[in-house]
Amino acid sequence: MSDHILFAHSLNGATPGAELTGQAIADSLESPELAWVHMNAGDPGAAAWIEAHMAYLPVAVRHALVADATRPRVSFHGDGAMIFLRGVNTNPGAEPEDMVSLRIWIDPARIVTLSLRQLASVRELRETVAAGDGPQDAGTFLADIVARLNARIIDRVDVLDDDGERIEQAVLSDAADPGTLRPQITDIRQELVDLRRYLRPQRDALGLLAAERLSFIEGEARLEIAESQDALTRTVEDLEGLAERLIVARDEIASAHSDRLNRNLYILSVISAVFLPLSFLTGLLGVNLGGIPGSEDGGAFWEFSAALCVVLVLQLLVLWRMRWVNVPGRWRRKDP
């Protein structure tokens, strides 16, 4: 098997699931029997092989299949379709939101798929095909691969939703340090941005596939694609709802932080208001100048201390009369 061709299988005919090699791969794509070829889109040999053996495809399609960057979309050419989809990246050490592109050319007699990196959905489908239990027509194949991609996307969104719910509960119960919650919210929101970037156009592409009257997408296959499109629509709505909930959680954290800061500043202001007159009096009578009252009186210190206590009590009474009260855990103004 060439480096640019990862595997190839016959999907129907006399030997469904049989692996194809060498010249049999190109021959199978030109025969009426359905065959599937999966290639490495990053290998320069893939573009050369497509130009040499699939010249019957439009030039725009041949170039798009090996393009450096793609986004989910679908375009129809005759009785075939070029479909670009995205799947969750489950490769070791990879970020799930770094979604892997799957490029597909499909018509009643041939299926050609390409990807830059491995996709678990493609690997699992290949194992099913190799065991002889895979789809034997193009419509069923397309419905199968779309369902497998969707399943992993939904699983990832469910994980994000659980993380969002945990953060919401922590915010509402004030059970976690805001300093640890804010980075978590930022990470989830960044992942949501990446997921929505691809899932919105992918939802639209599946809608076009379900609506277009291609000869090989009929009956149950069309229904399954429509159901996948509906499931992806709900998933996108869940992502948007989660994004809004995280904004609310972030605002709640900011509000709680602001309340704590304001409360602390208020306490400092009250303390300053109480001790500022006392500090003024002690500073005034503590200067080293002649004529300070009580400097010759041995009991003047205690008299002055008593006067300070009286001033302190008067200040507290004034604050109380202004309707400011102290309640456990916070300061607030009492409603008149």
Side-chain angles (χ1 to χ4, degrees), residues 8 13 26 132 176-177 182 193 248 282 292 325 328:
D177 179 16
R182 280 194 295 266
V193 169
V248 173
T282 54
I292 296 298
V325 296

Side-chain angles (χ1 to χ4, degrees), residues 24-43:
I25 297 175
D27 294 341
S28 67
L29 293 182
E30 297 184 10
S31 71
E33 296 180 354
L34 183 62
W36 173 30
V37 180
H38 184 64
M39 309 175 72
N40 180 5
D43 194 310

Side-chain angles (χ1 to χ4, degrees), residues 123-297:
R123 183 177 63 251
E124 289 180 356
L125 182 55
R126 190 238 176 145
E127 293 172 354
T128 302
V129 168
D133 299 325
Q136 297 189 12
D137 63 86
T140 304
F141 177 95
L142 184 58
D144 195 328
I145 192 65
V146 167
R148 292 175 186 271
L149 292 173
N150 254 13
R152 284 182 167 77
I153 290 171
I154 293 172
D155 288 344
R156 182 57 191 169
V157 172
D158 286 343
V159 171
L160 293 177
D161 191 71
D162 290 342
D163 291 342
E165 185 174 351
R166 174 181 52 80
I167 290 174
E168 286 180 312
Q169 292 176 350
V171 170
L172 294 176
S173 62
D174 204 17
D177 179 16
T180 63
L181 291 180
R182 280 194 295 266
Q184 296 178 35
I185 292 176
T186 300
D187 290 343
I188 296 176
R189 291 186 67 198
Q190 288 176 342
E191 185 169 347
L192 292 180
V193 169
D194 292 335
L195 289 175
R196 286 187 293 177
R197 173 188 175 190
Y198 296 118
L199 296 187
R200 284 173 174 169
Q202 186 151 315
R203 170 198 59 192
D204 298 337
L206 294 183
L208 288 175
L209 280 174
E212 185 69 18
R213 290 295 176 180
L214 292 172
S215 63
F216 60 88
I217 304 180
E218 295 294 342
E220 187 173 347
R222 183 180 300 278
L223 178 60
E224 290 180 2
I225 293 175
E227 287 298 315
S228 294
Q229 192 266 347
D230 181 70
L232 192 57
T233 298
R234 294 195 303 270
T235 300
V236 171
E237 292 172 352
D238 290 342
L239 288 177
E240 293 173 346
L242 177 57
E244 294 175 358
R245 286 159 49 202
L246 290 176
I247 291 175
V248 173
R250 184 199 60 185
D251 292 343
E252 285 291 332
I253 292 175
S255 177
H257 178 72
S258 178
D259 288 345
R260 283 193 294 270
L261 180 61
N262 291 336
R263 184 168 63 249
N264 293 337
L265 290 175
Y266 174 71
I267 293 174
L268 290 175
S269 299
V270 170
I271 293 174
S272 300
V274 169
F275 285 97
L276 183 60
L278 303 180
S279 299
F280 172 75
L281 292 176
T282 54
L284 178 65
L285 298 180
V287 295
N288 190 18
L289 296 175
I292 296 298
S295 59
E296 304 297 332
D297 186 354

Side-chain angles (χ1 to χ4, degrees), residues 6-7 9 36-39 85-88 90 100-104 113-130 141 144-146 148-149 152:
L6 301 179
F7 59 81
H9 290 275
W36 173 30
V37 180
H38 184 64
M39 309 175 72
L85 301 174
R86 289 272 174 164
V88 172
T90 58
V100 180
S101 171
L102 179 64
R103 305 107 182 271
I104 304 173
T113 60
L114 302 94
S115 64
L116 290 171
R117 290 163 290 179
Q118 291 187 8
L119 266 171
S121 300
V122 173
R123 183 177 63 251
E124 289 180 356
L125 182 55
R126 190 238 176 145
E127 293 172 354
T128 302
V129 168
F141 177 95
D144 195 328
I145 192 65
V146 167
R148 292 175 186 271
L149 292 173
R152 284 182 167 77

